[in-house]
Amino acid sequence: MPSNVEIKAKVSDLTQFAQKAAELSQSEGTIIRQHDTFFSCSQGRLKLRDFMNGSGQLIFYERPDTDGPKLSRYSITPTSDPQSLQVVLSEALGVKGEVKKERRLFLIGQTRVHLDTVEGLGHYMELEVAEDLMEKLGVSKESLVTGAYMDLLLKEHKEI
């Protein structure tokens, strides 16, 4: 299974982070709308990512729920009919929850930098890689978060 190292953190100043990422990537980034449906499964996480344009990806991944950088192992398969696949998987496995977000993707060298606005949670960033880039972008270790957006949304609803 392929793998990468992922770092996720809350972003307190969206504009400042976007400016730094744009400078470092020498681009304004690419906007990607995503609607992720998480399904119940016995191990890891299984989600269907709908790009809201008739295409999507079924993604299975395993990643520890710990603070800081974490190794994520994943398998991805594309789909040209995410809505029908969502119906079948929902009936077969049950839905754990959904995450709707707008992602701004920057490429800084070989590192993918995601600036996400997550419905119901706010602004976050994900790096699919290195601590020196965290430092250049001004991301503190205190702002790192644990778990998937789905976990954060479930936690938010419990605290209300």
Side-chain angles (χ1 to χ4, degrees), residues 1 4 43-45 60-64 71-75:
M1 226 187 292
N4 64 18
Q43 66 179 33
R45 292 186 175 93
F60 170 75
Y61 64 102
E62 294 177 304
R63 181 180 63 220
L71 183 65
S72 180
R73 295 172 8 110
Y74 60 91
S75 293

Side-chain angles (χ1 to χ4, degrees), residues 10 13-14 18 21 27 33 36 46 68 79 81 84 98 101 109 148:
K10 186 138 180 70
D13 188 332
L14 181 70
S27 80
R33 288 179 43 226
D36 293 345
L46 180 65
T79 178
D81 190 0
S84 294
E98 297 178 65
K101 67 180 174 269

Side-chain angles (χ1 to χ4, degrees), residues 55-86:
S55 71
Q57 298 174 323
L58 183 61
I59 304 166
F60 170 75
Y61 64 102
E62 294 177 304
R63 181 180 63 220
D65 288 330
T66 56
D67 288 337
K70 44 198 154 281
L71 183 65
S72 180
R73 295 172 8 110
Y74 60 91
S75 293
I76 299 175
T77 190
T79 178
S80 58
D81 190 0
Q83 280 107 5
S84 294
L85 187 54
Q86 195 267 346

